[in-house]
Amino acid sequence: MVYAILDNIIIIIITLISLFTGKYPSFLIMIAGLLMVFATYKSYSEEKNKLLIVLEVILMSLFSILSCCFIGFVVFFLLREIREYVRILLGVCIFLTVALIDNNNSLAVCIMEILFLVVIYLILMFIYYSINYIENKQIQEKEKIIATNISEMHEKRLNEQLTMQNYLTEKNARLLERENISRNIHNSVGHSITAAIMTLDAADMLYDIKPNEARKKMQDANDRIRGSLESIRRAVRVLDEDSAVISVGDLKSEMNNIINEFVMDTSIRIDQNFEQADNDIKIPQDHAVFLTGVLQEMLTNGVKHGGADEFIVLLLGDVAHIRLEVSDNGRSDFDELNSNYRIDNGFGIKKIISYADKCGGKTLFINDNGFKSVVELPIINAGR
């Protein structure tokens, strides 16, 4: 739009000058009006129409000739569809041709007028280039402001996303902590209380027949319940010792205690083999608490749900993995058809699978002439 205004101003100025020197002023004014229409049209149209360019060149040529002055040839500067030097050459060549045909001017005067014409072209080019530079500078400033605003918006959005991500991370950490607490309490306290209940049931049956033995079992049950409180404290304490490690030898001792207490409470036969696990291997304390809980879960479930009276417990380990296998001779309805339902609705098994998956371990549950549970955990980062 700015170029259209400048073009029209130039046309008006050279038309006014040409009216004093030119012929047929009415034709000059008419042609000038058409050139102003072309200048305005070009400012709104982005397409280059060759026919219109040719027509514009013809009108400029007529205007220049009728002006009878070198000033009229400045109109060729407005032909911006072609390069600047071509516009200068076109105006100068047509002026020189007209001057040679008209013998009224001497060669020296023609040369002087050509120089003035070129100077006017250069001045106009400088003006247009200055305007173009200012416009580009303003556009760059606007683009810079827009880019800054976009960057600030992006940074703000990124900060919001990071805040939300931190919130979700903290929330997931709290949920994980709750899950660890619930699992550890379920594994330790739940089984202790279950064993105490079984002991109390046995004491109730022996109370009238063997009161002394019944009283001993009641005392054992009381000790178990009191020990549940320590189990809760131990489960919570482990949460604050994520980096702690223990030896497989200590894990074997804990498992032996669990098996001995279970056998004492139920008089059920348990064959164990821990020889294939090196005592010096170090494992995370979380793994140890988890595996002892798995052992308690499988022993209790075997008796409670499968009516098992014999168990086989295997512990295998190397520097990379620790593996616990618990098999029983119980009668379980666990199979491929109902396994998903049983797992989803079984708090213990579901927690076992969840923990193993998060640690990159594996679980396997098989019901074939008894129930077999296999849990394998990686321990490569635990150290030795």
Side-chain angles (χ1 to χ4, degrees), residues 121-383:
Y121 270 109
L122 293 177
I123 293 173
L124 290 175
M125 286 181 182
F126 175 77
I127 293 173
Y128 275 76
Y129 276 130
S130 299
I131 294 173
N132 185 56
Y133 174 80
I134 293 172
E135 285 187 342
N136 289 336
K137 196 71 174 176
Q138 291 176 344
I139 292 173
Q140 291 177 359
E141 290 295 330
K142 289 181 180 179
E143 291 178 348
K144 185 177 179 180
I145 293 173
I146 293 173
T148 302
N149 292 335
I150 292 175
S151 177
E152 290 177 354
M153 291 175 60
H154 178 72
E155 185 176 357
K156 182 179 179 182
R157 185 176 300 173
L158 183 61
N159 289 335
E160 291 176 351
Q161 291 176 349
L162 289 175
T163 301
M164 181 60 68
Q165 185 176 356
N166 290 336
Y167 168 76
L168 293 176
T169 301
E170 292 177 1
K171 183 178 180 181
N172 290 335
R174 290 195 298 270
L175 291 175
L176 180 60
E177 184 178 10
R178 291 179 184 176
E179 184 177 342
N180 287 338
I181 292 174
S182 65
R183 185 189 66 245
N184 292 335
I185 291 177
H186 173 269
N187 289 343
S188 58
V189 179
H191 296 291
S192 296
I193 293 176
T194 300
I197 292 172
M198 295 171 63
T199 302
L200 288 173
D201 289 340
D204 183 60
M205 290 185 293
L206 294 172
Y207 186 78
D208 295 329
I209 304 172
K210 299 178 180 180
N212 292 333
E213 188 173 344
R215 188 175 294 105
K216 183 178 181 304
K217 287 188 175 295
M218 292 173 63
Q219 183 61 43
D220 291 341
N222 186 36
D223 293 340
R224 284 291 182 85
I225 294 174
R226 291 179 181 275
S228 297
L229 179 60
E230 179 59 28
S231 297
I232 293 175
R233 292 171 178 168
R234 185 168 57 250
V236 175
R237 188 167 57 249
V238 168
L239 294 177
D240 298 328
E241 300 176 354
D242 292 337
S243 61
V245 294
I246 68 172
S247 67
V248 171
D250 292 336
L251 173 62
K252 291 180 182 180
S253 297
E254 182 65 22
M255 287 187 171
N256 280 325
N257 292 334
I258 293 172
I259 292 173
N260 292 334
E261 289 181 357
F262 193 82
V263 170
M264 179 184 64
D265 293 333
T266 62
S267 299
I268 289 176
R269 178 181 175 183
I270 299 179
D271 293 330
Q272 63 194 66
N273 185 349
F274 297 161
E275 299 301 323
Q276 298 184 51
D278 187 354
N279 290 337
D280 295 330
I281 295 174
K282 301 294 184 180
I283 66 172
Q285 189 166 4
D286 272 354
H287 282 10
V289 174
F290 170 73
L291 291 174
T292 55
V294 172
L295 177 58
Q296 291 174 319
E297 179 80 16
M298 295 301 104
L299 293 177
T300 303
N301 286 351
V303 175
K304 183 177 179 181
H305 299 296
D309 57 9
E310 290 185 6
F311 289 87
I312 298 176
V313 180
L314 300 178
L315 184 67
L316 306 93
D318 53 32
V319 294
H321 300 88
I322 187 75
R323 179 186 179 99
L324 175 65
E325 298 182 6
V326 181
S327 305
D328 63 49
N329 64 347
R331 298 173 299 279
S332 174
D333 60 350
F334 188 95
D335 56 33
E336 294 182 359
L337 297 178
N338 65 11
S339 60
N340 291 333
Y341 174 81
R342 293 291 298 276
I343 290 173
D344 290 338
N345 291 275
F347 184 84
I349 293 180
K350 187 176 181 179
K351 292 295 182 180
I352 291 171
I353 295 174
S354 175
Y355 182 89
D357 288 344
K358 284 186 294 187
C359 296
K362 298 183 293 185
T363 56
L364 178 65
F365 303 97
I366 304 172
N367 185 27
D368 185 15
N369 295 324
F371 194 76
K372 180 178 181 180
S373 305
V374 179
V375 177
E376 182 175 288
L377 301 176
I379 57 173
I380 191 169
N381 295 322

Side-chain angles (χ1 to χ4, degrees), residues 56 82 205:
E56 190 176 11
I82 58 179
M205 290 185 293

